[in-house]
Amino acid sequence: MADRPGARIPRSDDHGSGGADGELRRALAVALVPQIDELTRRVVADIHAHSGTYASGAPVSRDDLWEICRDNLLRALEDFGGLPPSGGDFEYAARETGRRRAEQNVPLDTVLQAYRRGGRVMWQVMAEHLRATRAGGAGRGQDPAGVVAGDPDAELDMAGAVWETIDRYSLVMAESYRLTQLEMQGRQDTRRVALFEALLDGRGDDPAVAAAASAALGVPVHDRYVIVVAAQDPAAPPNPAPVLDGHGIWSFWRPRSGRYAGIVRLAAGESGVLLDLLRHRTGATAGVSPEFDRLAQAGRALRLAEQALRTLPAGSGEAAAFDDRLAEVLLVGRPEIAERIVTTQLGAVLDTAAERDALLSTLRVWLDSGCSAARAAERLYCHRNTVLNRIGRIAELTGRSAESGEARLGWALALRALPLRSAHGEPAPTEDHMGQEC
């Protein structure tokens, strides 16, 4: 009803109310319309007396309240009395009230209370008029309204009709208020998304853009942030926001190029918490940028988060910080170099079909154990000599000394490059053989 400009509110007299009752309603409206300014004054004073929001004058000024009250009262009186509308359709004032108060962010309950106060005062004025008419003996045998006014039940009938009118206009106002809120929210969401995209595109270097994005997102220009880029894995939720929100971590996310990009605001010590939540609570495969302290740096952070994501196997559900994947980032950015490192450093090992998996698994654990055969043996559940024999075999196959720091670096880089090589369509050896028999 209220979203169709010009639509008419169903009125009581449309449903069979007429006769003396209708005549009395018309007589009351005709008598009070000329007093509309005094009625408005009384309503404004009553609202001010009972509402601190309106009495403060902000955001609703006294002139604003006067204007909107006068319009509502005039249209309510005309509708109540079956008079033709003096300024457009009957709903206009109610719709305008809802729109204006929503834009001013006045709580809907406060506006509805003002409507009730206005209805109360309007009925008081009508009751005063009825009593004055009855006391003066007006209408004896001449004025049909006066005859009805002599009936005590008339006041009850009129009170019900007044509140029916106020209730109908309150519903129209509330609907307009809610529609305006939805429209405002839509505009705010559109602006928020546009400014977030501007940050990711690197336009945050413009102080005006950074300040506008800060206001739209509701976060400071300077704080601790990271950018997270998450793959849209079918098994993962649409974006990690609900999980992070549940742990008190603010974030804002948007789909971007088939992925989700998010900015996350961190408190001290929350970097590890963020990675843990991404890994174990969201199921998303995600790359996380280094921390930055200005919104203007979001564009650069996005590129680093994307690079971190590229180092992870698709659908793995793993999350990695850029700073923890530096070698992989370098290798994935130059696939031809990564392939050459694998070939020159471990090519001979990969060619040994029978030994390959055991040798690679032992080499990985040995390197992760600080090149200690004893610690590696504990992790592999085998004898120390088995580890030494396998490392010796790798040295023999590659023609490099296991004591050489350069050889160890080359082997470590080759092991990191193997999964990346697999991501480009070539088979990679099994990585997890720590539980095999030795």
Side-chain angles (χ1 to χ4, degrees):
M1 175 178 68
D3 58 343
R4 301 197 316 274
R8 189 168 67 89
I9 302 173
R11 294 159 59 183
S12 295
D13 54 311
D14 292 336
H15 301 286
S17 176
D21 180 71
E23 291 176 0
L24 176 57
R25 290 172 60 166
R26 182 179 180 84
L28 284 170
V30 168
L32 294 184
V33 165
Q35 304 175 36
I36 191 65
D37 287 340
E38 173 58 20
L39 178 58
T40 302
R41 184 195 66 75
R42 289 180 61 171
V43 168
V44 168
D46 188 82
I47 291 173
H48 274 194
H50 291 88
S51 171
T53 299
Y54 284 104
S56 70
V60 183
S61 68
R62 187 178 185 88
D63 288 346
D64 181 354
L65 182 59
W66 175 281
E67 175 192 353
I68 214 77
C69 281
R70 189 181 191 281
D71 267 359
N72 275 279
L73 289 166
L74 179 60
R75 292 168 195 273
L77 281 172
E78 291 171 342
D79 186 16
F80 173 83
L83 307 178
S86 58
D89 65 275
F90 286 109
E91 293 183 1
Y92 173 78
R95 288 198 310 271
E96 177 64 11
T97 302
R99 181 195 66 78
R100 194 180 300 183
R101 298 299 175 253
E103 290 179 346
Q104 293 167 329
N105 203 30
V106 179
L108 179 57
D109 284 349
T110 300
V111 189
L112 287 170
Q113 183 184 39
Y115 259 72
R116 290 192 293 271
R117 302 303 309 180
R120 179 175 177 274
V121 172
M122 187 169 78
W123 167 239
Q124 286 177 339
V125 172
M126 287 184 176
E128 291 168 4
H129 181 78
L130 286 172
R131 287 192 292 271
T133 300
R134 188 163 57 243
R140 293 171 184 166
Q142 299 156 358
D143 181 0
V147 173
V148 180
D151 181 358
D153 291 337
E155 290 191 23
L156 294 177
D157 293 339
M158 292 302 100
V162 167
W163 286 112
E164 178 189 351
T165 301
I166 296 301
D167 285 346
R168 285 187 285 112
Y169 280 91
S170 295
L171 289 174
V172 173
M173 181 279 296
E175 185 176 357
S176 176
Y177 184 102
R178 294 187 181 101
L179 286 173
T180 302
Q181 275 194 323
L182 289 175
E183 292 169 1
M184 290 169 59
Q185 185 62 51
R187 291 195 296 269
Q188 290 170 357
D189 289 345
T190 299
R191 176 174 172 78
R192 189 177 295 117
V193 169
L195 287 166
F196 180 54
E197 291 289 342
L199 291 179
L200 296 183
D201 289 340
R203 287 181 278 155
D205 287 332
D206 182 341
V209 172
S214 169
L217 295 172
V219 293
V221 173
H222 296 274
D223 210 329
R224 298 178 58 183
Y225 298 103
V226 294
I227 294 292
V228 180
V229 177
Q232 293 184 356
D233 299 330
N239 70 62
V243 171
L244 301 186
D245 288 346
H247 287 77
I249 298 177
W250 178 90
S251 63
F252 183 80
W253 299 80
R254 285 296 300 169
R256 185 180 173 92
S257 303
R259 299 169 178 170
Y260 272 94
I263 183 169
V264 182
R265 185 183 181 190
L266 296 175
E270 282 186 340
S271 295
V273 175
L274 172 63
L275 282 170
D276 184 67
L277 290 173
L278 291 172
R279 286 169 179 156
H280 304 299
R281 298 295 302 277
T282 71
T285 305
V288 182
S289 77
E291 289 187 19
F292 57 96
D293 60 9
R294 291 186 297 114
L295 289 179
Q297 298 170 316
R300 174 178 175 274
L302 172 71
R303 295 190 294 274
L304 299 183
E306 288 174 335
Q307 290 176 28
L309 176 62
R310 289 179 61 199
T311 70
L312 300 173
S316 65
E318 176 61 20
F322 178 86
D323 288 345
D324 295 334
R325 304 283 291 180
L326 294 177
E328 289 85 351
V329 167
L330 289 172
L331 293 168
V332 79
R334 297 295 298 273
E336 70 284 359
I337 293 179
E339 175 62 30
R340 192 62 187 163
I341 289 173
V342 171
T343 300
T344 59
Q345 302 299 317
L346 290 177
V349 176
L350 297 177
D351 290 339
T352 62
E355 300 176 273
R356 182 183 66 179
D357 288 346
L359 293 178
L360 291 176
S361 178
T362 301
L363 177 60
R364 182 175 292 106
V365 174
W366 180 70
L367 290 170
D368 289 344
S369 301
C371 300
S372 166
R375 288 198 295 270
E378 290 178 2
R379 295 177 60 186
L380 290 167
Y381 304 103
C382 63
H383 196 277
R384 173 178 178 275
N385 288 341
T386 302
V387 175
L388 292 173
N389 289 337
R390 288 177 181 171
I391 298 301
R393 177 62 173 154
I394 292 170
E396 176 189 348
L397 289 169
T398 61
R400 300 173 186 275
S401 170
E403 300 301 319
S404 166
E406 185 175 348
R408 294 175 180 181
L409 175 60
W411 292 341
L413 287 174
L415 288 172
R416 293 175 187 273
L418 274 174
L420 308 179
R421 178 189 182 193
S422 175
H424 285 82
E426 297 191 30
T430 305
E431 294 187 11
D432 188 4
H433 291 272
M434 294 171 58
Q436 67 183 16
E437 294 182 5
C438 293

